[in-house]
């Protein structure tokens, strides 16, 4: 699984002109599920997401997690994170997991975040044509791949 975490002051996702989820200060997380991903990948990413220290402490140093600051999380599925651009200029999405694998893992990630944070996590609708808006704070953007574990 690959996720892209952006520290935000606000973020929202809309479908057909209607906002289906929005947050204030916190994290916008884009989630891509690949063939071979398992619940182990989900659990590892939940731990990383909740503990990632990208929020400023009183000294202005990124030393606090989203849990520490009581921030919100908006998680949106994005199969294009699995793109390969190795050959040519048209991305290949052959690594993307099918709905039968990706939907349960994406939902497990969202549910696991809610449990770990003790609060509701905003989300999009898997497979929908979504419009995502955000104000990246910093900007701070972190890419995490569960296979690389870095």
């Amino acid at each position: 699984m690959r996720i892209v975490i952006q520290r935000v002051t606000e973020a929202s996702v809309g479908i057909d002109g209607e906002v289906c989820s929005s947050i204030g200060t916190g994290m916008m997380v884009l989630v891509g599920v690949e063939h071979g991903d398992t619940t182990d990948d989900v659990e590892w990413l939940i731990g990383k997401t909740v503990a990632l220290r990208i929020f400023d402490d009183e000294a202005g140093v990124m030393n606090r997690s989203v849990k520490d600051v009581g921030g919100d999380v908006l998680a949106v599925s994005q199969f294009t994170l699995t793109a390969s651009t190795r050959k040519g200029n048209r991305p290949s999405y052959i690594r993307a997991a099918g709905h039968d694998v990706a939907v349960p893992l994406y939902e497990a990630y969202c549910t696991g975040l809610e449990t770990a944070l003790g609060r509701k996590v905003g989300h999009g609708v898997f497979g929908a044509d979504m419009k995502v808006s955000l104000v990246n704070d910093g900007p701070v953007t972190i890419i995490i791949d569960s296979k690389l574990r870095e």
Side-chain angles (χ1 to χ4, degrees), residues 33-110:
V33 182
E34 295 182 328
H35 292 292
D37 288 337
T38 68
T39 55
D40 289 339
D41 296 291
V42 171
E43 292 301 320
W44 186 81
L45 287 171
I46 289 167
K48 277 293 189 187
T49 303
V50 171
L52 193 64
R53 298 183 317 178
I54 61 171
F55 294 90
D56 293 346
D57 62 14
E58 57 282 341
V61 176
M62 287 194 291
N63 205 25
R64 291 191 172 150
S65 70
V66 69
K67 189 170 184 173
D68 295 336
V69 301
D72 295 321
V73 176
L74 174 58
V76 175
S77 62
Q78 187 174 351
F79 79 93
T80 60
L81 290 180
T82 69
S84 171
T85 58
R86 184 173 301 176
K87 292 169 63 177
N89 293 317
R90 182 173 182 225
S92 169
Y93 304 107
I94 196 163
R95 294 191 304 219
H99 281 68
D100 57 327
V101 172
V103 172
L105 292 179
Y106 166 69
E107 290 176 351
Y109 177 76
C110 293

